[in-house]
Amino acid sequence: MPTDWTVRAITGAMLPVLLALTLVEVGSGLVLGSFEAQLLRYPTLLALVPVTIGTAGNLGSILAARLSTSFHLGTLSFDLADEHLAGNAVATLALALSIFPLVGVGAWGLTALVSGVRLSLGTVVAISVASGLSLAVLAVAVTLTVTYVAYRFRLDPDDVVIPVVTNTCDVLGVVVLFVTVQLIL
């Protein structure tokens, strides 16, 4: 674990990460822009975009915080048979399974109030749940990977993991949501 808390050390560790994440976010915007026509055709999808990517990032951040705490306590093991690690991953998936149906209902209800609905409630909930669970699996994989990489490079996971996970979930969220839309519609 790093012990040098100088401005130079913190900047040296975080600047490359933040620059790379800036490029990732530009990529997310480009991907989102390529789906503009579909978003305008189905306003419910437009409502789903920020909530889906935000919720996936939040789920990954919760897992990242738990893993970082375990890291600092010295109880984190990257063994696949570790019940603590597996339990946190399963809890993240269970949270996704419980929240994404509500996200779908909320997006459908909001667009019904504001602009009228073109997609059925069942379709919106199916898109929300399928994309949400897929993103949760990806968020778990990204969080575990980035936490391990931070550990190997002797970086503080508190500084690195959450920004990487939330930004990666932004890009993956847009891609997964629209792949799911293509499969369901």
Side-chain angles (χ1 to χ4, degrees):
M1 186 165 119
T3 56
D4 189 12
W5 295 104
T6 64
V7 171
R8 173 175 272 197
I10 294 169
T11 304
M14 291 305 301
L15 188 60
V17 171
L18 294 175
L19 290 174
L21 293 175
T22 300
L23 294 175
V24 167
E25 285 297 322
V26 169
S28 177
L30 293 172
V31 170
L32 186 59
S34 69
F35 294 107
E36 183 179 6
Q38 200 162 24
L39 289 172
L40 294 174
R41 183 173 176 206
Y42 301 112
T44 308
L45 297 179
L46 187 59
L48 273 178
V49 171
V51 179
T52 300
I53 63 177
T55 303
N58 291 341
L59 290 171
S61 296
I62 292 167
L63 178 60
R66 294 182 60 80
L67 294 180
S68 182
T69 299
S70 295
F71 172 78
H72 289 297
L73 292 173
T75 60
L76 181 62
S77 165
F78 290 102
D79 183 9
L80 294 177
D82 182 5
E83 291 179 9
H84 182 70
L85 189 65
N88 280 313
V90 169
T92 301
L93 296 176
L95 279 170
L97 187 59
S98 65
I99 196 70
F100 277 103
L102 299 174
V103 167
V105 169
W108 183 86
L110 178 67
T111 54
L113 289 174
V114 175
S115 67
V117 176
R118 294 187 186 161
L119 294 173
S120 71
L121 176 61
T123 301
V124 174
V125 170
I127 290 169
S128 179
V129 170
S131 61
L133 285 176
S134 300
L135 279 169
V137 169
L138 291 171
V140 167
V142 168
T143 303
L144 292 174
T145 302
V146 175
T147 302
Y148 182 74
V149 169
Y151 164 76
R152 296 292 291 165
F153 283 97
R154 301 182 50 83
L155 298 170
D156 188 346
D158 285 330
D159 295 337
V160 177
V161 179
I162 290 177
V164 171
V165 168
T166 55
N167 282 277
T168 303
C169 284
D170 285 353
V171 175
L172 292 175
V174 171
V175 172
V176 168
L177 180 62
F178 286 101
V179 166
T180 304
V181 167
Q182 297 302 320
L183 293 173
I184 292 179
L185 289 184

